[in-house]
């Protein structure tokens, strides 16, 4: 791996290889569960283009491309993105730190799926959110899902970073299939948008 997303991510990676991570989702599908809740959620907004930010092994981007959307995947972990590229060499994969991402494209949606926000290094989270916001097309949506736990960002932290990036909260759920969010929940799916008053 070149570059390091964060100590938290390094720790996680010591326990699971990119191939094993990827296999998890295939096993989930084989067991009859839906591994595409995030893609279903993003797709429901009708975007034509999506940036899969912190794409890992490409699960969300590849599924959205299969449904006909223009997608780009980006991740800081070279080994993760190599697996994504091997699975879908026809798609665009960019090895980059989200906090420094500078693509020419603008997207109808940018998705941070699967705890990307907490895995970004603490001192780069604000910049990563600003960078994601900068890659949105007018009226585009920033969609993020992450666990709420001790020592990880709270929804208030995340809302502040989004607000500083010029985005306002449009909706928040407890799950990718839109269960209502409550203050005592352990997961949040947040949808922020330019020019929407919260
Ligand atoms: C748990 S994985 C989620 C992968 C994928 N989104 C999914 O849902 O399957 C978190 C990802 O965030 C990436 N990440 C962490 N910090 C990053 C950063 N600063 N820039 C880009 N990617 C980052 C990690 O490399 C990792 O692939």
């Amino acid at each position: 791996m070149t570059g390091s997303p964060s100590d938290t991510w390094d720790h996680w990676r010591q326990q699971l290889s990119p191939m094993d991570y990827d296999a998890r989702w295939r096993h989930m599908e084989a067991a009859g569960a839906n591994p595409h809740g995030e893609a279903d959620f993003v797709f429901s907004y009708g975007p034509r283009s999506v940036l899969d930010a912190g794409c890992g092994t490409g699960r969300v981007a590849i599924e959205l491309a299969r449904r006909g959307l223009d997608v780009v995947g980006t991740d800081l972990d070279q080994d993760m993105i190599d697996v994504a590229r091997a699975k879908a060499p026809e798609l665009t994969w960019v090895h980059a730190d989200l906090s420094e991402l500078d693509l020419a494209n603008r997207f109808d949606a940018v998705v941070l799926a699967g705890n990307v926000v907490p895995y970004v290094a603490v001192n780069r989270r604000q910049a990563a959110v600003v960078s994601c916001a900068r890659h949105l097309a007018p009226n585009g949506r920033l969609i993020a899902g992450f666990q709420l736990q001790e020592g990880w960002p709270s929804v208030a932290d995340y809302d502040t970073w989004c607000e500083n990036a010029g985005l306002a909260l449009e909706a928040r759920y407890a799950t990718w299939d839109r269960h209502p969010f409550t203050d005592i929940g352990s997961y949040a799916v947040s949808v922020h948008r330019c020019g929407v008053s919260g």
Side-chain angles (χ1 to χ4, degrees):
M1 178 167 54
T2 60
S4 174
S6 62
D7 292 347
T8 326
W9 180 246
D10 281 348
H11 178 73
W12 192 95
R13 280 281 268 105
Q14 281 161 20
Q15 297 168 46
L16 202 65
S17 74
M19 296 302 281
D20 289 341
Y21 176 74
D22 204 53
R24 268 186 176 183
W25 302 106
R26 287 198 303 281
H27 294 153
M28 186 177 166
E29 192 162 22
N34 176 18
H36 298 305
E38 296 93 334
D40 292 342
F41 185 91
V42 173
F43 193 73
S44 73
Y45 286 100
R48 288 160 302 176
S49 57
V50 176
L51 175 65
D52 187 358
C55 62
T57 58
R59 180 174 57 100
V60 178
I62 292 170
E63 176 61 18
L64 291 172
R66 193 189 66 75
R67 299 181 191 191
L69 306 192
D70 288 333
V71 301
V72 172
T74 185
D75 202 285
L76 178 53
D77 186 324
Q78 181 74 66
D79 296 341
M80 294 290 273
I81 209 162
D82 283 350
V83 173
R85 189 175 286 115
K87 284 162 58 183
E90 71 284 7
L91 300 182
T92 302
W93 304 105
V94 180
H95 178 220
D97 186 331
L98 272 181
S99 62
E100 297 168 2
L101 189 69
D102 188 15
L103 304 177
N105 324 37
R106 294 295 175 265
F107 301 86
D108 295 331
V110 175
V111 60
L112 293 154
N115 286 330
V116 174
V117 174
Y119 283 126
V120 172
V122 174
N123 62 351
R124 287 185 253 160
R125 289 179 185 151
Q126 164 82 69
V129 171
V130 168
S131 172
C132 287
R134 203 172 47 240
H135 286 83
L136 287 172
N139 295 316
R141 290 180 170 91
L142 178 62
I143 299 172
F146 58 89
Q147 274 172 293
L148 304 171
Q149 61 183 51
E150 186 74 32
W152 279 22
S154 65
V155 287
D157 294 329
Y158 182 67
D159 286 346
T160 300
W161 300 328
C162 286
E163 200 176 309
N164 292 343
L167 304 177
L169 183 67
E170 181 182 44
R172 172 162 289 136
Y173 304 96
T175 64
W176 290 101
D177 49 6
R178 290 187 166 83
H179 282 208
F181 179 79
T182 68
D183 287 342
I184 55 164
S186 59
Y187 198 85
V189 176
S190 307
V191 182
H192 287 81
R193 205 170 184 190
C194 307
V196 175
S197 57

